């Protein structure tokens, strides 16, 4: 079955620095969604990527979908303390069933 | 608009006991999901409803877990009997429809501890 892997598992970042988290699927995806879960909170939808090679930006966050639609990345520039949380990618099949990765837990040091 | 509601927020039970969780999705959302999130892992889909019908329960441990959405609105997830490894957060989510392109809205979850 479909498996979604995320690296790194943990990311310690100094405030103001940039970082990237990666997501890889064992199968070709219909689309990929990204969610953010704050400590003690629930996952909140960030964005969806559908097209091969698609790039979308949300302020300091840049999301990319690979050409083969099997991988994705999230790049955050000028990290802020509000970026703390766990970022999940979730691969979707054509029916919208999501397979979540294990997430990248982001800790920001002031 | 009101978000996804879940209750209770916390539950502590002993192994072999039974427990039930309730979820009320966003009004008008046809698709409802139950996820299990073990500490340090991503949410794992247990069951997906489209209106009052089950469309995917392939990862639901049917010997102990059951779920229903009788009127196509709110839903209940039950565990009977509970095991230690069932300790997790149970998340309910809903989306407008089934299919790619629809984002899922998650409730606050129920944290279950089995002792």
């Amino acid at each position: 079955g479909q498996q979604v892997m995320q690296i790194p598992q943990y990311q310690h970042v100094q405030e103001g620095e940039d970082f990237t988290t990666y997501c890889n699927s064992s199968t070709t995806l219909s689309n990929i969604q990204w969610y953010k879960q704050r400590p003690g909170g629930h996952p909140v939808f960030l964005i969806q990527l559908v097209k091969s090679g698609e790039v979308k930006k949300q302020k300091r966050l840049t999301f990319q979908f690979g050409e083969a639609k099997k991988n994705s990345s999230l790049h955050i520039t000028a990290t802020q303390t509000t970026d703390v949380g766990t970022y999940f990618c979730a691969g979707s099949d054509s029916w919208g069933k999501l397979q979540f990765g294990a997430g990248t837990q982001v800790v920001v040091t002031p | 608009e009101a978000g996804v509601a879940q209750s209770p927020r916390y539950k502590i039970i002993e192994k072999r006991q039974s427990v039930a969780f309730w979820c009320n999705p966003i009004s008008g959302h046809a698709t409802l999901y139950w996820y299990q999130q073990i500490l340090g892992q991503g949410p794992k889909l247990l069951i997906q409803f489209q209106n009052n019908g089950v469309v995917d329960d392939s990862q639901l441990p049917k010997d102990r877990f059951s779920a229903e959405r009788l009127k196509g609105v709110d839903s209940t997830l039950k565990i009977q009997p509970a095991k230690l490894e069932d300790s997790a957060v149970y998340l309910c989510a809903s989306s407008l429809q089934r299919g790619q392109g629809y984002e899922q809205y998650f409730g606050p979850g129920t944290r279950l501890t089995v002792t």
Side-chain angles (χ1 to χ4, degrees), chain B:
Chain B
E1 68 183 0
V4 177
Q6 288 189 248
S7 67
R9 292 295 309 278
Y10 305 90
K11 191 75 177 177
I12 299 174
I13 62 172
E14 295 182 350
K15 59 184 180 184
R16 291 187 289 273
Q17 285 187 325
S18 63
V19 65
F21 313 125
W22 175 82
C23 171
N24 193 25
I26 292 173
S27 177
H29 279 199
T31 313
L32 184 147
Y33 313 80
W34 282 103
Y35 289 89
Q36 179 192 60
Q37 187 175 24
I38 293 172
L39 188 64
Q41 299 182 18
K44 171 189 164 187
L45 180 68
L46 294 175
I47 190 167
Q48 178 181 348
F49 292 93
Q50 179 70 11
N51 298 309
N52 60 351
V54 175
V55 295
D56 191 321
D57 62 358
S58 56
Q59 298 189 96
L60 187 74
K62 298 179 188 63
D63 57 334
R64 298 183 301 106
F65 286 64
S66 64
E68 58 184 16
R69 193 186 184 198
L70 293 175
K71 296 182 179 179
V73 181
D74 56 349
S75 175
T76 304
L77 175 69
K78 295 180 182 177
I79 307 175
Q80 182 180 9
K83 293 185 175 181
L84 295 176
E85 59 261 36
D86 298 332
S87 292
V89 175
Y90 290 84
L91 294 162
C92 179
S94 69
S95 62
L96 192 60
Q97 281 295 341
R98 180 188 180 200
Q100 61 174 322
Y102 293 100
E103 66 182 87
Q104 295 185 20
Y105 296 82
F106 284 81
T110 296
R111 183 176 299 277
L112 173 68
T113 302
V114 182
T115 62

Side-chain angles (χ1 to χ4, degrees), chain A residues 31 35 37 42 48 95 97, chain B residues 37 56 99-101 104 106-107:
Chain A
N31 67 62
Y35 290 78
Q37 186 171 26
H42 56 274
Q48 175 176 255
W95 288 108
K97 178 180 177 179
Chain B
Q37 187 175 24
D56 191 321
Q100 61 174 322
Q104 295 185 20
F106 284 81

Side-chain angles (χ1 to χ4, degrees), chain A residues 1-105:
Chain A
Q2 176 184 299
Q3 289 192 358
V4 176
M5 310 288 288
Q6 279 188 260
I7 54 170
Q9 186 176 4
Y10 299 99
Q11 181 76 56
H12 291 256
V13 190
Q14 193 88 21
E15 194 172 11
E17 290 184 339
D18 303 351
F19 76 91
T20 303
T21 177
Y22 300 91
C23 178
N24 294 289
S25 170
S26 58
T27 59
T28 302
L29 301 169
S30 293
N31 67 62
I32 195 157
Q33 297 183 5
W34 285 87
Y35 290 78
K36 178 182 178 181
Q37 186 171 26
R38 295 184 184 275
H42 56 274
V44 175
F45 175 82
L46 292 176
I47 208 159
Q48 175 176 255
L49 303 169
V50 179
K51 299 177 183 177
S52 169
E54 188 171 15
V55 178
K56 286 188 177 180
K57 292 189 177 183
Q58 284 183 351
K59 297 182 180 178
R60 296 178 294 103
L61 278 61
T62 301
F63 303 84
Q64 187 166 3
F65 202 8
E67 293 291 340
K69 300 184 72 172
K70 295 180 73 173
N71 57 68
S72 181
S73 64
L74 161 59
H75 181 77
I76 300 182
T77 58
T79 304
Q80 299 177 358
T81 55
T82 53
D83 296 324
V84 165
T86 301
Y87 293 83
F88 293 100
C89 65
S92 174
D93 66 11
S94 57
W95 288 108
K97 178 180 177 179
L98 296 180
Q99 179 77 36
F100 281 81
T104 294
Q105 184 179 344

